[in-house]
Every structure is written in structure tokens, then in C-alpha cells.
Amino acid sequence: MDFALSDCIDWAQHQRIFQQQGRTEIADFLAEGQADVLHRHLDARGDWQLVMNAGDKVYELSRANHGALAPDQMAELDRQVFSSARHGFQYRYESIRLPDGGGPRRDDLLADFLAFLSSPHTLGRLSDMIGVPIDFADGQATSYGPGHFLTAHDDDVAGKNRVAAYVFSLTPAWRTEWGGLLMFHGSGGNVDAGYAPRIGALRVFAVPQLHSVSYVTPFAEGARLSITGWLRRSG
């Protein structure tokens, strides 16, 4: 699919907002209807992997393997994840990963979107908005269902050369009280800003910046779908 930027983006306004606040939201990033196509594509895919961490180690489970866990195994997994999240960095959500920099095309819409994001025209627009040259974008699809979350972190990892992070929201209908909000942390434990899932919206924010994804409640309907990653320098 040939993705295209929306003609309605006021790039100068977003540049001013980003320079003032270190983040901005482009309400409609793609040409009309393209975000809906991406949503349907991701919603239909079956190759999602549940990803979790235990300290610096990352663990993955396919949907089939996760669904095959016995009730006592599920309960023990919850206990360990919640215990770690209580005072440390912890996450649990589903992911479809792509290699850094996009890697070879896999002939699917997720790879097409990442190639579009890393194209000279799109990177040029985003570089001008941020005020720093960007060489490529990496990314993954993410799905946050009930019980999923991402605790506070700032994305600053040595050697990754991350200039900014992005979240491209692909959730067509979502209630704020369901959780899954992208939240930016201020002083004293306050939240400076929060974004609810909204289809077609691109949220871009400078690295480092403390943020989290709030816990998705058990009564949430469906999943919070998005494509997330970083805008990076090569070295």
C-alpha cells in the first residue's frame, strides 16, 4: 500500500508546539481512510506475541501458548508481573516486531507503514518539526488488552540514538476510563498530560521524557492497537 501524509497537517504549528512542550499530537497523520485500513489489518493478524520483562530479560509467548496455560500458571504469572510492577519497571502487552530500521520488506501493511515512516519525505517533515535530523524510524505494532500496561520509563537507552518516540494510534472506539492512556509524568507524581487512544493520531515526544501506558481495565472492550517506535540517528 502506498501511504501518504494528510494534506491537513499544519507542520509549522506542530513545530511550535513541539519546541515549547517537547511533544505534540498530529490528529490525522495519514491520508483519509488509511488508518482504518491499518487497523483492520492489525486486528485480523494472528502472529501477536505477548511480551513481558523480568528485569532486563524479555519473555515472549504466542497467543496459543499463553492460552494453553493452566489457571494456576496464569495466576502465578499475574503474581510475578504485578509484584515486579509494584515498585519497578515492568510491562505486559502484545507485539508484532520489525527489525530496527525497518529491515527487509515482509510484504505486509505494517512493513509498508514503517517504510513510509522512514522515507526521505516523511523523515524530512518530522525532522523539521522536531528540529533535529532523523535518519530512520523503527517500530512495532502493539496491542494492549485487559491486564496490559507499561510502567514509567524515559526511553533513553545508550547506543540507540533515539531522538524522539512516537505512538500512532489505531483504535477506532475507546473510553478513557478503560485505561491504556499514554501519560506524561510531572513532578510530585502528577500527570502533566495524557492521551487517550484515537484512531489516526500520531503522538511524537522528545527522548528522554518520563511516560507510561496506564493499566487496561478488565472491563475494556477490545484492544488498544497502535504502532510505536523511535525516530533515530544512525550514530
Side-chain angles (χ1 to χ4, degrees), residues 4-186:
L5 293 169
S6 169
D7 293 331
C8 301
I9 301 173
D10 187 338
W11 290 101
Q13 179 187 31
H14 287 294
Q15 182 184 46
R16 289 192 296 270
I17 294 171
F18 191 90
Q19 296 306 316
Q20 292 169 359
Q21 301 180 7
R23 55 181 174 266
T24 192
E25 175 187 38
I26 301 173
D28 295 294
F29 182 61
L30 294 180
E32 186 176 357
Q34 292 188 343
D36 298 290
V37 173
L38 261 176
H39 165 259
R40 290 193 294 270
H41 171 77
L42 293 181
D43 192 48
R45 287 183 67 149
D47 55 338
W48 294 95
Q49 297 282 325
L50 181 68
V51 294
M52 303 163 288
N53 69 302
D56 293 332
K57 294 183 178 180
V58 179
Y59 295 91
E60 297 186 352
L61 278 175
S62 68
R63 283 183 171 176
N65 288 337
H66 183 243
L69 294 178
D72 61 329
Q73 292 174 310
M74 286 279 199
E76 176 59 19
L77 182 60
D78 282 348
R79 187 195 67 77
Q80 292 185 22
V81 167
F82 295 151
S83 176
S84 178
R86 193 164 293 120
H87 299 293
F89 175 60
Q90 182 68 42
Y91 55 80
R92 177 166 65 179
Y93 58 88
E94 288 187 317
S95 171
I96 301 173
R97 299 185 183 276
L98 286 173
D100 282 358
R105 289 174 60 86
R106 302 195 313 174
D107 295 321
D108 66 44
L109 287 183
L110 178 56
D112 287 347
F113 176 78
L114 194 56
F116 159 77
L117 205 58
S118 290
S119 68
H121 177 66
T122 307
L123 286 182
R125 284 293 197 180
L126 293 172
S127 295
D128 289 344
M129 184 185 78
I130 292 169
V132 178
I134 303 163
D135 295 319
F136 68 96
D138 65 14
Q140 62 175 326
T142 61
S143 174
Y144 285 74
H148 294 170
F149 62 92
L150 172 62
T151 62
H153 61 292
D154 65 10
D155 283 342
D156 191 13
V157 178
K160 292 292 187 179
N161 301 310
R162 294 169 175 170
V163 175
Y166 71 88
V167 177
F168 183 49
S169 182
L170 292 169
T171 308
W174 194 265
R175 296 182 64 177
T176 301
E177 56 265 44
W178 291 351
L181 275 64
L182 171 62
M183 302 193 304
F184 295 93
H185 297 227

Side-chain angles (χ1 to χ4, degrees), residues 204-228:
V204 184
F205 52 98
V207 173
Q209 191 165 173
L210 195 64
H211 62 285
S212 64
V213 176
S214 64
Y215 183 83
V216 179
T217 63
F219 54 85
E221 184 177 64
R224 172 199 186 269
L225 294 175
S226 59
I227 299 173
T228 68

